Amino acid sequence: MRDAARNAPVGDASYGEDPTVTALEAEAASLLGFDAAMFCPSGTMANQIAAFTHTDPGQEVVVEEHSHIYGHELAGLARHSALQVRPIDGSPRGVLTPEAITAAIRSRGSNQVETGLVTFENTHNRYGGTAIKPRAIEEAAHAAHEADLPVHLDGARLANAAVAHGITLDQMTTHVDSVMLSLSKGLGAPIGSVLAGSDRFIEQARRARKFFGGGWRQAGIIAAPARIALETIDRLEIDHANAQRLAAGLESLPGIEVNRPETNIVMLDTQGIDRTAHQFLERCGAHGIKGSHFGQYRVRFVTHVDIDSTDITEAIDGLKTICTDLRTTD
Ligand SMILES: *Cc1c(COP(=O)(O)O)cnc(C)c1O
């Protein structure tokens, strides 16, 4: 990726003259099954641009209660696009049912706020990287379309979902109107996400990106490694296998409750060892194991391109030691 960055042909992307950015956007559009795609600095910006483009100020957006666009984008929907949010519980896997969507959509009338957009997330991060089936998205999207509402898919980790189901990315997007895919997470690019949709949607989104301050100039050096990320999607199988192995190793530790990972995210509960996520992660840090804190007793570990099978073995050994130490100090 570093060599590709160094050798990338560049131009002024704000005039559509950066050949590397243009190539990346064409490849992303084709892989995601849309007319067009737009390269963005971050997934958050791409999600926010999508919402801005799909809606009018003063509308309501239906979101899943634990979604990134609701909980992790600093109220951007309200601040950038003057939208109010309607969070709906999508437990146990993070996908809204068609019934829940239909019930959340407000009937049109002069004295009700107007619903303007429905969003989904796949894989769903806070539910532990659940790979939602395209069929579930199709049914939920159908409920939104019945009411003439557009659907945006936050597919930061959509490639993980596609690999988990053994299908291509475009098979994951057939029933949504726009999708965001992160290139800088599991896919390993240094920077960037893509937003894909119809020609008309992306044309409007390009104006929004400029307004958000995300217009590029000589971005080819960033787009070149991002193109490599798009070519290496199949590699995610390795991350999924590593997550499985890590979870299996953790399962044998008394007091630790762990999910059965569907993709590259391992979630564990530390209540059984009487330690908060914070306290547990402090110990992990001392053993060179890095995770994040996802609630008082929840810890998230993620496998990715820089973690190999030896790292997993070392992590399991380290976690075993931590749990043994905790028991003997209790
Ligand atoms: C990380 C993430 C984003 C945002 O991507 P950034 O590049 O960090 O802004 C959006 N949605 C989900 C589900 C994510 O995990």
Side-chain angles (χ1 to χ4, degrees):
M1 282 187 177
R2 286 170 194 267
D3 287 340
R6 186 179 306 111
N7 299 321
V10 298
D12 190 331
S14 73
Y15 295 109
E17 289 173 3
D18 188 303
T20 314
V21 172
T22 304
L24 167 70
E25 291 181 338
E27 285 155 5
S30 153
L31 274 173
L32 289 163
F34 282 96
D35 298 340
M38 176 177 81
F39 188 38
C40 287
S42 73
T44 300
M45 191 190 282
N47 274 343
Q48 293 296 326
I49 288 173
F52 181 88
T53 306
H54 280 303
T55 60
D56 290 320
Q59 288 185 326
E60 185 169 79
V61 185
V62 176
V63 300
E64 201 286 319
E65 199 175 336
H66 299 286
S67 59
H68 193 282
I69 202 165
Y70 177 46
H72 296 267
E73 300 189 11
L74 311 191
L77 296 176
R79 299 165 77 181
H80 298 302
S81 304
L83 297 166
Q84 94 177 7
V85 181
R86 180 83 175 269
I88 308 286
D89 177 20
S91 55
R93 291 174 46 75
V95 63
L96 299 178
T97 62
E99 295 75 26
I101 288 167
T102 303
I105 295 170
R106 298 182 191 263
S107 57
R108 298 217 161 99
S110 56
N111 56 3
Q112 283 222 61
V113 64
E114 190 178 51
T115 311
L117 174 68
V118 175
T119 68
F120 300 126
E121 182 173 316
N122 196 10
T123 66
H124 199 298
N125 180 31
R126 290 197 78 93
Y127 283 100
T130 44
I132 314 288
K133 287 203 172 83
R135 176 100 192 140
I137 301 277
E138 176 185 346
E139 288 169 1
H142 183 70
H145 289 151
E146 287 265 274
D148 281 333
L149 292 174
V151 173
H152 172 67
L153 174 60
D154 175 350
R157 299 186 185 80
L158 192 68
N160 293 88
V163 165
H165 290 306
I167 60 180
T168 53
L169 272 174
D170 60 335
Q171 290 175 293
M172 302 293 302
T173 62
T174 35
H175 298 279
V176 300
D177 302 291
S178 59
V179 62
M180 180 279 274
L181 172 73
S182 287
L183 306 174
S184 58
K185 290 188 169 172
L187 295 177
I191 297 169
S193 290
V194 284
L195 176 65
S198 68
D199 279 327
R200 187 176 148 65
F201 173 81
I202 292 298
E203 197 184 300
Q204 293 174 329
R206 286 190 193 283
R207 291 183 61 78
R209 186 184 59 184
K210 186 75 180 172
F211 163 71
F212 274 72
W216 301 110
R217 297 287 181 184
Q218 291 69 241
I221 56 165
I222 298 169
R227 291 180 70 188
I228 296 175
L230 279 182
E231 285 164 12
T232 53
I233 285 171
D234 292 345
R235 195 204 53 76
L236 294 175
E237 272 179 31
I238 299 169
D239 297 348
H240 296 182
N242 282 336
Q244 292 282 350
R245 207 153 70 74
L246 178 62
L250 283 164
E251 241 167 36
S252 63
L253 303 179
I256 296 277
E257 233 182 84
V258 60
N259 74 330
R260 190 168 292 268
E262 296 180 27
T263 53
N264 66 332
I265 293 177
V266 178
M267 287 282 193
L268 56 96
D269 192 301
T270 58
Q271 222 154 263
I273 53 167
D274 238 0
R275 292 297 188 287
T276 63
H278 240 85
Q279 292 167 329
F280 185 73
L281 281 169
E282 231 170 58
R283 302 261 178 157
C284 291
H287 286 263
I289 304 162
K290 203 166 176 185
S292 353
H293 158 266
F294 260 69
Q296 203 180 357
Y297 296 102
R298 283 187 96 206
V299 167
R300 187 192 72 168
F301 291 126
V302 179
T303 57
H304 53 80
V305 64
D306 296 323
I307 301 291
D308 64 21
S309 128
T310 316
D311 296 322
I312 297 293
T313 307
E314 281 176 23
I316 294 170
D317 289 345
L319 291 161
K320 273 186 187 151
T321 310
I322 292 166
C323 288
T324 311
D325 287 354
L326 285 174
R327 270 205 311 283
T328 51
T329 53
D330 273 345

